[in-house]
Amino acid sequence: MTDTSVAQDASASEENFEDLFNEFIGRVDIIEGAVVNGTVVSVQGDAILIDVGLKAEGRVALREFVPPGGKASVGVGDVVEVFVERLENRNGEIVLSREKAQREEVWNQLEKAFETNDRVKGYIVQRVKGGFTVNMNGALAFLPGSQVDIRPVRDVTPLMGDEHEFRILKMDRRRGNIVVSRRSVLEDERADQRADLIAGLTEGQVLDGVVKNITDYGAFVDLGGLDGLLHVTDISWRRINHPTEALSIGQTVRVQVIRFNPETQRISLGMKQLEADPWEGVAAKYPMGARFKGRVTNITDYGAFVELEPGIEGLVHVSEMSWTRKNVHPGKIVSTSQEVDVEVLDVDADKRRISLGIKQTQENPWDIFIGQHPADSQVEGEIKNITEFGLFIDLGNDLDGMVHMSDLSWDKTGEEAILDYKKGDQVKAKVLDVDIEKERISLGVKQLEADPLAGAMDGVQRGSVVTCQVTKIMDNGIEVLVDDTLPGFIRKAELARERGDQRPDRFAEGDRLDAKVTAIDKGTRRLSLSIKSLEIEEEKKAMKTYGSADSGATLGDILGAAMAAKGTDEDDDAGEEPEAEVEEVAEEAAPEAEAAEETAAEEDEKKS
């Protein structure tokens, strides 16, 4: 071989090596960091050798080919996808990864799903700050807490371990971030269910639902994409004060559609409509006058509701609770859940109302009292209260009797007598009157003794003239004592006929005088007297007896006639002076004479 040939062969070898090297370099650029197909060459213990077409095989751990909960199913000659991490490590081997290959495949699938807004499947694996981690075939995504369900979920434990569908909200392959939502999928399903439900919904239809929320006035039930309101009055035939007494959130209930408005999509539901109406035949079951036992379910200001059976309640008005306790709150007579005996007073099946009474099942204490204590009988009790007008005495059985202050003492005024008593004292009294309709018992303490002035009052009549003694001088009159027993009073205007003589200071305590009885008050046992009326009466008698102005009688004539009559009717006393008699007769006849003169003067004026 010539030198020229050798040189040509060397040049050709260099060109072939350069081509092969460039080809290898180009292939390396293509393969490194990418997913390639490789052939399983052998299985060596816990590793697998894979040929990817390079100068050396790559080694992959066997565990990367084991599915969760399964066994490795790879053998020699199988073609598998692997990820080329590096072309050569320090041992001169190619670094391959089955897990990264699978992850890259998953990312490719997730990117396609994200672009097309398709759903993806995954498992909620653990809780992290602000949400949860979701495993989607090896790719880990973040599930915010607000995107777990349509409504807040307190416990996600039941959701873990089960496969769920998600929708990708955000995705950043370079950073490896994926944000998913389960709520979006549920809302789509809910919208589809709502459309199907509305299309076939009719009044009277019976459905199953889940209690979604509870309020004071009812509960919202999820019918599967659509919520309906179950009002508290439609939960049960019996009285329910709050829905929580019969329902709880998350409870599955069977309900009936009562009303449905397609335009507003509002649904009214009922549970009691699925049960028999207990009010059917209630009039025959609870006739008027019959007595039953019931349980107090609710207390109001005007009465108490008593449950006779589940779904049947009657009202006991406060006026029908007690014979004696009228002005008290029903809560002071009965208590909630208390069992009571009641009597049916009225039944209105159309209005679903039953009127009940408690006091009708008890003996009337008023009848008992009248039977044991008729009028004029004696009772004894403790002073319960003292008022400005009398005493209230406890007579037992919630009955009180009143002693008016005027019935406390015969010889003291009511204001004075009431000061002798204090609350808690035991007193005896006489029954004066019992008024069942007004529920009043009138008692008297002074009636236990005879009226010391009863006989004296009987002997005094209106218009009679009595002799009395002055006991007290007052600005408006004088107090007197008639027959040393009966008190009386003469007003200032009744002290004399003449206005100038109507002065109380003309009299002194102890003076005796005659007066006419004008009024008798047997309640206070006081007399009203008048000196003026007596003087006017005597004047009229004198005018009638001794003459009048019309007959031409003068003052002298009247005095003379009076003197003559006095001399005829009475014998002269030895110690009495004639002049004194004349003066006395003149004084008695003076008013009549003056009246006669005034009358005569008036007649003369008329004639002139």
Side-chain angles (χ1 to χ4, degrees), residues 395-422:
L395 302 177
N397 292 329
D398 292 329
L399 296 181
D400 293 337
M402 191 193 79
V403 182
H404 195 270
M405 63 181 182
S406 61
D407 292 317
L408 289 174
S409 176
W410 290 113
D411 54 359
K412 293 183 180 180
T413 63
E415 292 80 359
E416 295 173 344
I418 204 170
L419 297 176
D420 296 335
Y421 299 90
K422 62 180 182 295

Side-chain angles (χ1 to χ4, degrees), residues 103-104 107 111 140-142 170-179:
R103 193 178 304 166
E104 287 292 321
W107 272 90
E111 284 181 339
L140 299 181
F142 175 66
K170 295 180 181 180
M171 190 172 184
D172 188 342
R173 185 165 186 170
R174 184 173 61 84
R175 295 183 178 181
N177 294 335
I178 304 176
V179 180

Side-chain angles (χ1 to χ4, degrees), residues 501-519:
D501 295 334
Q502 295 175 354
R503 293 180 291 104
D505 56 4
R506 291 178 51 234
F507 303 90
E509 293 184 6
D511 289 352
R512 300 184 68 83
L513 51 88
D514 292 339
K516 187 177 181 179
V517 179
T518 57

